[in-house]
């Protein structure tokens, strides 16, 4: 990553555009505008910044402030009316598109017992992270899965999917994560409604986890050629156990603590072509060092409490709070407890950056790798 700092628009550098307005030039620009054209040197420094410049702001969405509104949606609209009953997360820096950060969308979906949303599919890749309730299920291309708190589920692009809650369940809330803004930016987004409101359940319940979810075991003779993981659900129990076991034998990453990626068991790569996900554990009192990356991240605290510093802003979080890190911004994490661990679920667009050769990362050299807190986000 360039080390030019945050002085993105410096013009006093040889080789950068530096043309002062004159009456003649202003006339010229107007004439160009009328022909639907423009002079590159008037925009060059903006459209080719020294390094990624994100319009997104570091944000935290506190669950205790959102939950009542999410539950209110349950009273106000049915899944039949709404299609999806979701309160989406808006980033105040991104009024042009519905994005929580970068080109990632996120929202909180709520369903009551006996409800089921209609089946559809789209070019956008999706995931869910279960926040509360029991009896939730999702059906992905006929693979029906039961879902509990902190379970992580995929709805890869192009797969038919619907979600619901069984009659004997409770109100369920989960976080949706999708690459809708990316698909729209690429102008590649298709959307289709299933001919039946609910697709058939074509396989035994939870067959995906039973087939592909055993640690370091692969079903002999089974093949898989899709671009996404055949393992569609990653349960919290084995995920947390995996982190605890790993934490006993590793010092962890200086930037992310005990950090494990959810992977496609066939390729070892990310779970979907455009979205990757991870769970990290911060030990009691752990304060990681700051680094920055080309890529945008959305986090949910799955356990414990603490804070992250994103570009000098302190974002306090506790279980179920969601926060984001825009691309190129310094970030470091702190477990606020000296006795218990803290776990952060995250999803990100690094598979896009990596597959296009755009990924870069850099650690903060100054101040022993820690930022100064300069700001708290407006609440
Ligand atoms: O469940 O498929 O929050 O298509 C937004 C768009 C959820 C979904 C959202 C979607 C979905």
């Amino acid at each position: 990553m360039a080390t030019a700092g945050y002085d993105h628009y410096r013009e006093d550098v040889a080789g950068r555009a530096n043309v002062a307005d004159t009456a003649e030039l202003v006339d010229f620009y107007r004439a160009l505008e009328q022909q639907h054209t423009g002079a590159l040197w008037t925009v060059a420094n903006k459209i080719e910044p020294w390094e990624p410049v994100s319009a997104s702001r570091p944000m935290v969405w506190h669950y205790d402030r959102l939950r009542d509104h999410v539950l209110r949606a349950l009273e106000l609209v049915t899944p039949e009316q709404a299609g999806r009953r979701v309160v989406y997360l808006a980033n105040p820096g991104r009024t042009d598109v519905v994005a929580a950060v970068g080109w990632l969308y996120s929202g909180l979906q709520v369903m009551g017992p006996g409800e089921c949303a209609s089946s559809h599919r789209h070019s956008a890749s999706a995931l869910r992270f279960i926040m509360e309730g029991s009896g939730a299920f999702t059906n992905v291309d006929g693979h029906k899965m039961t879902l509990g708190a902190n379970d992580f589920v995929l709805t890869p692009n192009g797969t038919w999917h619907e979600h619901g809650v069984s009659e004997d369940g409770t109100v369920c809330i989960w976080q949706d994560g999708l690459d809708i803004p990316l698909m729209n930016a690429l102008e590649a987004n298709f959307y289709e409604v299933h001919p039946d409101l609910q697709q058939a359940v074509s396989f035994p319940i939870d067959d995906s986890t039973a087939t592909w979810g055993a640690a370091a075991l692969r079903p002999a003779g089974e093949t898989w050629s899709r671009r996404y993981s055949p393992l569609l659900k990653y349960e919290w129990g084995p995920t947390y156990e995996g982190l605890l076991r790993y934490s006993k034998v590793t010092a962890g990453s200086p930037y992310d603590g005990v950090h494990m990626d959810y992977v496609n068991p066939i390729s070892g790569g990310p779970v979907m072509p455009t979205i990757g996900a991870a769970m990290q554990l911060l030990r009691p009192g752990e304060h990681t060092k700051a680094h920055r990356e080309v890529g945008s991240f959305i986090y949910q605290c799955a356990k414990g409490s603490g804070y992250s510093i994103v570009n000098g802003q302190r974002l306090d979080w506790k279980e179920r709070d969601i926060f984001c890190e825009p691309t190129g911004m310094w970030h470091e994490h702190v477990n606020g407890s000296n006795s218990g661990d803290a776990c952060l679920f995250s999803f990100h667009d690094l598979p896009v950056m990596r597959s296009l050769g755009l990924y870069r990362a850099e650690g903060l050299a100054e101040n022993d790798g820690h930022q100064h807190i300069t700001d708290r986000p407006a609440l």
Side-chain angles (χ1 to χ4, degrees), residues 241-263:
E241 193 194 326
L243 282 167
L244 285 180
R245 292 180 67 181
Y246 184 37
S247 73
K248 298 207 167 74
V249 297
T250 182
S253 149
Y255 307 113
D256 285 303
V258 182
H259 193 200
M260 296 185 103
D261 291 322
Y262 293 97
V263 295

Side-chain angles (χ1 to χ4, degrees), residues 132-155:
E132 65 169 275
S134 65
F137 64 83
T138 193
N139 185 352
V140 178
D141 270 352
H143 299 275
K144 184 171 174 177
M145 288 161 277
T146 52
L147 307 171
N150 285 350
D151 285 353
F152 164 55
V153 193
L154 309 182
T155 313

Side-chain angles (χ1 to χ4, degrees), residues 84 97 252 303 320 327 362:
R84 293 287 184 267
V97 288
K303 185 172 186 289
R320 304 290 160 240
T327 186
E362 165 184 49

Side-chain angles (χ1 to χ4, degrees), residues 14 94 108 127 183 276 371:
R94 302 296 299 290
L108 300 186
L127 58 84
M183 290 305 109
Q371 303 164 77

